[in-house]
Amino acid sequence: LCEPLVTEDYVVQSMPDVSPTKWHLAHTSWFFETFLLARYAAGYQPFNRDFAYLFNSYYVAVGDRHCRQNRGLLSRPTVEEVYEYRRHVDRYMSEWLRALSDDPPLQHEIAPLVELGLHHEQQHQELLLTDIKHVFWVNPLRPAYRKSPEPSPQSPSPMRWINFPEGLHWIGHEGESFCYDNETPRHRTFVESFQLGSRLVTNGEYQKFIADGGYREPRLWLSIGWAAVQEQRWQAPLYWIERDGQWLHHTLGGLRPAADDEPVCHLSYFEADAFARWAGARLPTEAEWEVACASLPIAGNLVESQAFHPAPAVGDAPLAQMFGDVWEWTASQYTPYPGFKPAEGAIGEYNGKFMCNQFVLRGGSCATSASHIRATYRNFFPPDARWQFAGLRLARDS
Amino acid sequence: LCEPLVTEDYVVQSMPDVSPTKWHLAHTSWFFETFLLARYAAGYQPFNRDFAYLFNSYYVAVGDRHCRQNRGLLSRPTVEEVYEYRRHVDRYMSEWLRALSDDPPLQHEIAPLVELGLHHEQQHQELLLTDIKHVFWVNPLRPAYRKSPEPSPQSPSPMRWINFPEGLHWIGHEGESFCYDNETPRHRTFVESFQLGSRLVTNGEYQKFIADGGYREPRLWLSIGWAAVQEQRWQAPLYWIERDGQWLHHTLGGLRPAADDEPVCHLSYFEADAFARWAGARLPTEAEWEVACASLPIAGNLVESQAFHPAPAVGDAPLAQMFGDVWEWTASQYTPYPGFKPAEGAIGEYNGKFMCNQFVLRGGSCATSASHIRATYRNFFPPDARWQFAGLRLARDS
Amino acid sequence: LCEPLVTEDYVVQSMPDVSPTKWHLAHTSWFFETFLLARYAAGYQPFNRDFAYLFNSYYVAVGDRHCRQNRGLLSRPTVEEVYEYRRHVDRYMSEWLRALSDDPPLQHEIAPLVELGLHHEQQHQELLLTDIKHVFWVNPLRPAYRKSPEPSPQSPSPMRWINFPEGLHWIGHEGESFCYDNETPRHRTFVESFQLGSRLVTNGEYQKFIADGGYREPRLWLSIGWAAVQEQRWQAPLYWIERDGQWLHHTLGGLRPAADDEPVCHLSYFEADAFARWAGARLPTEAEWEVACASLPIAGNLVESQAFHPAPAVGDAPLAQMFGDVWEWTASQYTPYPGFKPAEGAIGEYNGKFMCNQFVLRGGSCATSASHIRATYRNFFPPDARWQFAGLRLARDS
Amino acid sequence: LCEPLVTEDYVVQSMPDVSPTKWHLAHTSWFFETFLLARYAAGYQPFNRDFAYLFNSYYVAVGDRHCRQNRGLLSRPTVEEVYEYRRHVDRYMSEWLRALSDDPPLQHEIAPLVELGLHHEQQHQELLLTDIKHVFWVNPLRPAYRKSPEPSPQSPSPMRWINFPEGLHWIGHEGESFCYDNETPRHRTFVESFQLGSRLVTNGEYQKFIADGGYREPRLWLSIGWAAVQEQRWQAPLYWIERDGQWLHHTLGGLRPAADDEPVCHLSYFEADAFARWAGARLPTEAEWEVACASLPIAGNLVESQAFHPAPAVGDAPLAQMFGDVWEWTASQYTPYPGFKPAEGAIGEYNGKFMCNQFVLRGGSCATSASHIRATYRNFFPPDARWQFAGLRLARDS
């Protein structure tokens, strides 16, 4: 993912939510060093003792950390030093894991942490892409991450309403495979009958909302959403620019027209919610989404497609684009499932402490790995966050 | 309620969340003038055309309004003019309602709005008390609203855990009696088995949390809660002062010791949540609370008792203090019920647009009227709000 | 001065620079109590010990004080209690001063402090007027302090340039009469030849600046002045409102047209400076102003005229309006005179510690007492302050 | 100067006052491109049209510009591209200047701008050093710009008072050699007799001020200076750290003890002023400084010494360290000289528009070029600026 970048690109933090590329690279190795090597690998020597401070994100239990919003003020360690750090940790991890075959009990104990570390790194791979996209956006030169040809226009599948009957459903992760603690425990939820849109909302549909004055009509918005519209002067999704009456948007492939048939992207929850209200519909709850998705295979425009951009819905599957393209804002605030217990120790800070004033997103995006996403996966962001690949699918009562 | 106040007390806005007493008085009459007299009473002349601007709170649909945080900058209209405004509106309302007996269809149409106006005024009566309490708090002279004798200490009932079995429950308001739109529609929710504390958490229990370093241990807190603790330097509930090793608190009756047996009060959601975690428990969800409360009579230390302060639990009812004393923070973020439809028109702004980044509180307080509260009533505040009479009851999985 | 006010008017602080009327009343008595009665009058009992905290403005040496920007959050003490406090202090002062005739040495020692206290009170009388003007301004009802008829238009004296030759001048206060420490010591300053406008700049002249795009042309402004224009969206002097193509302004007599012949008022230093640059002139230095004024009698539209508003220049005196009407911004930053020594003790905090990032204004205004102003008087405000009666007179090199 | 830096160091902006190294490199070439090549060199093609926007600092008259505080958000242009830009501009400048020998009138016209461009670049060379020092400071790894050995302690010359008699003096630049517009016109100023310290104030002397509670005593400070101390929690000069009872400071050569005999450095005006008051002295005015310095040769610890750090006073010259080591804060606010006229056109924005709320510093520092400084040179910074090499020399009335 870093291959198209130059050294200077690794350094910049374009807003507090964004981390510099080199920080992502170092932090993911720090995770393995801190939660595995430093604890379990006898005789391990840290690469640099200051890195424990510099590259801890938010794990209070493992010590002090550098101020998040100042990550872009660090010219050192250099990019090359960070790569050296990664090689150091990777080499130790490999050797140590190999040696562990002699110690099955320890192997058993640390396996979940290794797996968590890998999923953690996948999350930061997605953030690396969303963050560098923002770094290029704030630059008046508008650099492209990787020039790509403009896709040819498609006829998007028409939107249909898919029916789901009422019922008591089991929600949450089941079985032995990996999941985050926030997907557990599996539990029952009663879901009224509902309808779900057969595909994501498109740029073309969203442009109608804009043209109809959606950003000027307070009645369509949540109260604090309307305050955000006014304070931040939102008039379109993040990365959109109007030029000569046409909407362009900044993509990882450069600035180009916002194609009508592509899923709309880089919306806040507030915008997704307002659009749904304007459309006479609403956002699905996360339970509805999970019920609808339960039996679908994990396939779609995920990071493996290397498009790095959402693509139009094609074909006539009843429910298209459930995985990949854009994360789907749900109407559900991010709360613990009944009986939720955070993981033990510092790792317990991974999810639980953020269960407040955030909304759940489902389904992964064009920057998510196929081996990372699943039907029970709960992503979460504050309702004003816009720099993720986030869009929406409509729902309504039936 | 205003009887103990002097003219100067009516003017001050001690923080943006607080409104001056005279604003509450005027705004509640503005509600009747705007939604009833101006719309339905032929020939009604507004008392002062500028009041539509000055005393609109947040109803975007009925026009522009004065900036909320500047309500305390208005020396005029005077207190006497506001009382005159109220007499003007009350007189017109009385005459008009009397005359309406000749017009049953209109009578039928406006009755729900009249009822809503009365419940609206009850809400502002509670706010008037919580707001004047804050106004007196920021004054180094620490005035009392109404001097009252210190209550004699009680032996609070011991806390027991009350069991509730799992089940699919109907939640929300039923029947023809008045409720707010946010209590509807009645719908099914599956609730796992749980336990609820038999009474509210007390000052004495909360002091143990403080003494145990509760305000210094990030692991007990939600992430943004911990940020609030540090930024606002919280070390105890709002209104608490440590003097010579003893905790005093500011009450409407003056400054006095925080009695061990009284329910702890003036907590934010963050503090209630952290206390529960420290105590090895959690907050109840609003569904759990409503299930537990469904069959209880509406009785307790409500505003009619004129104590204006929470009182110790006495007696041996299995579930004490469910109504009155303090609002109980629940673990539930404030979201629409399945199938929720806001009321039509400007009145629809009453509740729905606030369903974001707030938590539900249940049960009313010592400042709530008995005719205002009910088992399905959903109050809501942002998780850092502390100036309401808000405390907590523990819950846990069973 | 307080006679036209109602109780509510005494309470409000409309911005941090403004103090509530009741604060001014209490603070000026606090000055006598603190610096005289408490120190020199044996057996004096303070009226209320908390007032030392509440009504200290900025005298660090005499103890802690209430936060300046929270003066409007105090409903108590009531207005009546403040008047009682004033009567208490006045009565003690009278009795004590009378008794002092038996103690000439002490009489001699305290006389300068009594005189300072009186001049201090005169300053607060002016602030009381400028502050209540602002309190009425932020109120959409736009109350008037004292309704007054609109003045009939005048033909203002034409502006002429008055010549002053170069020379070495003595500047600063001389003799035994009262002055503030910042007017001393008298010292020599070399002043190049210069010209001074024969009268103040008028509203009519200032409207030409506005119409010519003065507020949209950065080249006319100091760098931080231009930043202030943009951040605060200045488009005209404070208190000006454009309505139907006409400029109205808020006065103590109510809202009325900004008469062409009146001196322009409520300008910041930045605006006065930008206007002068636009006019091909500059502001006078304080030395130039003092040289020009040295032999003029103290006469003009001062507070004794009870106009509470600047008036057109009439007659054909060579230098009109040097005293009264509006304070004249000078080009001089407020710095100590060579050899300046602040007064001893807490009183030394009166002036010296403010000699940074402020500009000197000269000549008094329509809210200044004739017995308070003099040719050497140095008033000072930050360059963005606009709520004083401040305008300008042009100067240029000759 | 850039030789010790790695690519990442060029990118970071550690606070709004600081510019990234690559910005300094580009901006100084932009100056030549904008004010010379683009205006006078027929057929010149700009290197990149976007650079006019990116690298304009504050010249409103030449067009829009990138927001100052976002200079560190730009990963592109890369460092290598900026060097290419510099080579492009340098090459064109060289060729064009050579060709100009055929056009003496144009040569004459543009010569002052070329000279200004060179002095402008010298100023940014100093800023490049002060800025990279700050970039390294905010980095917990505390990188050094260029490791240097700790200097061996010296016995600093004792401080003596040098007398200067009163008199009318000519101040400001005279003659044909280069100066900035703010040094003109030469004019007369009357200066009272005064005394000047024979050398700069040292770290050792400043530590006595700290140890005596200088940072805790409001009476020593200007009012807004004391506010700065409290808000920014100043307890020592910028870059000082207390460790095990010893004061260390961050230098371009790394972290090392603050040697007693070195001039104290990285003070704000507020600190210099407070120290002087504590020492029973004051800061010199800029006129006093210039009078004292008038006949001294330009020699001292300037950038050419490559120490990049102030050095102890040695020898027994009556007035040591007037040039070099540290800029000396004067008591003079930065105001136009009598008769001052800014240069014509955009170049007139160089100085005049900053004449507000800044103080004059004199004498240059260890980061200033010997060919850049002179006795009449007026540097200026806001009174809270600390990241420049700024210290003080005492003065007093005689």
Side-chain angles (χ1 to χ4, degrees), chain B residues 119 123 170-174 177-187 286 290 334-338 340-341 351 355 362 372-379:
Chain B
H119 285 275
Q123 285 185 289
W170 285 94
I171 296 294
H173 187 262
E174 186 176 29
S177 62
F178 176 82
C179 75
Y180 288 118
D181 58 1
N182 64 8
E183 301 167 54
T184 65
R186 191 156 169 88
H187 64 282
E286 61 169 329
E290 190 169 327
Y334 180 46
T335 46
Y337 282 165
F340 169 68
K341 297 269 174 286
N351 279 303
M355 291 178 172
R362 294 291 192 122
H372 185 69
I373 195 67
R374 58 199 158 266
T376 59
Y377 192 103
R378 307 173 80 196
N379 198 357

Side-chain angles (χ1 to χ4, degrees), chain D residues 322-345:
Chain D
M322 291 293 276
F323 290 110
D325 290 309
V326 298
W327 288 98
E328 303 181 24
W329 284 109
T330 74
S332 299
Q333 301 214 33
Y334 181 44
T335 46
Y337 283 165
F340 169 68
K341 297 269 174 284
E344 289 289 311

Side-chain angles (χ1 to χ4, degrees), chain A residues 60-61 166 168 187-188 190 192 218 222-224 270 333-335 339 341 352-354 356-357 359 383 397, chain B residues 60 166 168 187-188 190 192 218-219 222-224 270 333-335 339 341 352-354 356-357 359 383 397:
Chain A
V60 172
E166 72 173 45
L168 189 64
H187 64 283
R188 282 158 292 181
F190 187 84
E192 306 276 350
L222 286 164
S223 183
I224 60 168
F270 296 132
Q333 303 215 31
Y334 181 46
T335 47
K341 295 269 174 286
K353 74 180 182 182
F354 300 110
C356 184
N357 292 8
F359 283 79
D397 304 333
Chain B
V60 173
E166 73 173 44
L168 189 64
H187 64 282
R188 283 157 289 180
F190 187 84
E192 308 275 352
R219 270 168 273 198
L222 287 166
S223 182
I224 60 169
F270 296 131
Q333 302 214 32
Y334 180 46
T335 46
K341 297 269 174 286
K353 74 179 185 184
F354 300 110
C356 184
N357 292 8
F359 283 79
D397 304 332

Side-chain angles (χ1 to χ4, degrees), chain C residues 60-61 166 168 187-188 190 192 218-219 222-224 270 333-334 339 341 352-354 356-357 359 383 397, chain D residues 60-61 166 168 187-188 190 192 218-219 222-224 270 333-335 339 341 352-354 356-357 359 383 397:
Chain C
V60 172
E166 72 172 45
L168 191 63
H187 64 282
R188 282 158 290 181
F190 187 83
E192 307 277 350
R219 270 168 271 198
L222 287 165
S223 183
I224 59 168
F270 295 132
Q333 301 215 32
Y334 181 45
K341 297 269 175 285
K353 76 179 181 184
F354 299 110
C356 184
N357 292 9
F359 283 79
D397 305 331
Chain D
V60 173
E166 72 172 44
L168 190 64
H187 65 282
R188 282 158 290 181
F190 187 84
E192 308 275 352
R219 270 167 273 199
L222 286 165
S223 182
I224 59 168
F270 296 131
Q333 301 214 33
Y334 181 44
T335 46
K341 297 269 174 284
K353 74 180 183 183
F354 300 110
C356 184
N357 292 8
F359 282 79
D397 305 331

